[in-house]
Amino acid sequence: MVQIPRLAIASLGGTIAMKIGPDGAAIPALSGDDLVQAIPQLRNLATVTVQAIANVGSPSLTFQHILKAVEWAREQCKSGASGAIITQGTDTLEESSYLADLIWDCPQPLIFTGAMRSAGDPGADGPANLWASALTALSPQARDLGVLTVFNEEVHLARRVMKQHSTALSTFHSPASGPIAYLEEDEVVPFWQPPAQRTVPLPVPDTYNMRVPILEVGLGQDYETLAALGQSGIHGIVLAALGSGHVPQDWPDTVEELATRIPVIITSRTGAGSTTRHTYGYPGAELDLLKRGVELGGHLSARKARILLWAILSGAHKDDWRQQFALRAQTP
């Protein structure tokens, strides 16, 4: 007798769990069980265990929500589940999935998915995304890859995926590489194979009070905002800098003073490509900033650099944050 696999699904809310309200706008309305019941085929695919963690729009999700969902998924996988899925809103999904990837230590895949159209919209994509996620979570092709994002029948590595359109169904992309696989006739078809060796997962954060803001640098922007943030009790900061990691020429002294007290991360605001290390040497360019104590974000976006720095500062590696950050930031 063939034993049917077990699948664990945790729900956090988001558009995938919304219906159209009386005023014509989408509002939270569906539970995790509702999402599963909307796909009768799931009963033939796996025995499904569902856990509701929250039912909020993703702008209101917190680190606690994500870590609670990940811990539940880990417990399910340790007790025999073949894979796990977390459903949530798409606004913060690229950050949530990356945070999960930093600490996920199971060989089974953990999938993040959601929807761009609510259950009450014509052509709602939630059921299709959840079905594709279930197929991926149970696929041997997805094991030992860490956390994945499945959306629009594409499979992306959590550490690379980005939301790049505010409303399109094809909103998730991985600029550096594209998806690692796609779904075809209910099969996971690999597109390219990621490196087998993953970075050792970080310890689960043991505090939630680390404050790590992002400041985007723009044309003609002065450094007073940066200086004010530095005096506001923050524990680190990420600059979404110009080009491959540059700030105006009157910023470096403020950056240097800040870097003597807290971690300062320099990323590129462009959305693709890496910060450079030795191409530009003018005041405010990477060579100047490196001498002043910053750490470069490499291929990480500012959003993911913030998640990585927060996770390091909130756990057992905060005293060697620079080494831990560089180990993960320089891997595309």
Side-chain angles (χ1 to χ4, degrees):
M1 180 177 179
V2 178
Q3 184 175 2
I4 191 168
R6 185 158 62 86
L7 179 65
I9 301 176
S11 61
L12 291 168
T15 300
I16 192 173
M18 293 186 183
K19 284 187 174 181
I20 303 301
D23 61 354
I27 55 174
L30 302 177
S31 67
D33 288 317
D34 293 329
L35 300 180
V36 171
Q37 290 171 10
I39 312 173
Q41 299 93 323
L42 272 177
R43 300 189 190 98
N44 300 322
L45 187 69
T47 299
V48 181
T49 302
V50 182
Q51 178 68 38
I53 305 295
N55 196 357
V56 297
S58 61
S60 297
L61 288 174
T62 65
F63 290 121
Q64 291 97 320
H65 285 132
I66 305 307
L67 295 176
K68 183 177 180 180
V70 173
E71 180 56 32
W72 180 83
R74 178 187 285 114
E75 291 173 357
Q76 295 298 309
C77 287
K78 297 288 188 185
S79 65
S82 298
I85 300 170
I86 295 176
T87 64
Q88 68 157 84
T90 61
D91 286 356
T92 56
L93 191 146
E94 65 181 278
E95 294 157 272
S96 301
S97 61
Y98 182 56
L99 174 59
D101 189 56
L102 290 172
I103 62 174
W104 186 249
D105 57 358
C106 297
Q108 297 98 318
L110 174 59
I111 312 295
F112 275 71
T113 195
M116 294 299 290
R117 294 175 181 168
S118 74
D121 287 327
D125 56 326
N129 287 336
L130 185 54
W131 174 248
S133 297
L135 293 169
T136 305
L138 299 175
S139 171
Q141 305 277 10
R143 288 180 66 89
D144 297 308
L145 296 180
V147 178
L148 305 170
T149 294
V150 175
F151 216 92
N152 203 35
E153 298 194 328
E154 293 182 342
V155 182
H156 295 264
L157 295 174
R159 65 180 181 270
R160 299 189 180 184
V161 75
M162 298 175 69
K163 184 177 182 180
Q164 295 194 317
H165 196 285
S166 60
T167 59
L169 296 183
S170 57
T171 182
F172 286 101
H173 299 272
S174 297
S177 61
I180 62 167
Y182 58 94
L183 277 295
E184 184 177 278
E185 295 184 321
D186 289 346
E187 296 287 338
V188 177
V189 180
F191 187 70
W192 60 274
Q193 185 65 35
Q197 186 64 40
R198 293 182 63 230
T199 305
V200 176
L202 287 169
V204 176
D206 55 19
T207 182
Y208 300 110
N209 62 1
M210 291 291 126
R211 298 174 58 213
V212 182
I214 297 172
L215 178 63
E216 182 169 312
V217 185
L219 174 69
Q221 187 174 347
D222 61 50
Y223 57 83
E224 270 86 3
T225 301
L226 176 63
L229 280 170
Q231 299 300 320
S232 66
I234 60 175
H235 301 94
I237 190 168
V238 176
L239 299 182
L242 302 161
S244 57
H246 310 142
V247 300
Q249 63 182 2
D250 57 349
W251 281 51
D253 286 346
T254 302
V255 170
E256 182 175 14
E257 190 280 326
L258 202 54
T260 63
R261 297 187 283 112
I262 61 172
V264 177
I265 309 298
I266 301 291
T267 65
S268 171
R269 71 175 193 174
T270 59
S274 176
T275 50
T276 49
R277 301 192 66 85
H278 45 71
T279 300
Y280 295 97
Y282 57 82
E286 69 269 16
L287 282 170
D288 179 34
L289 295 175
L290 282 168
K291 292 175 184 176
R292 297 172 183 268
V294 307
E295 188 64 40
L296 297 177
H299 288 267
L300 293 176
S301 67
R303 293 184 290 276
K304 291 191 175 178
R306 172 181 173 263
I307 294 297
L308 174 55
L309 183 59
W310 180 89
I312 294 170
L313 296 180
S314 299
H317 288 303
K318 53 182 172 290
D319 292 334
D320 63 335
W321 70 265
R322 193 181 296 273
Q323 177 183 355
Q324 295 295 325
F325 188 94
L327 178 65
R328 292 162 177 83
Q330 299 305 322
T331 302

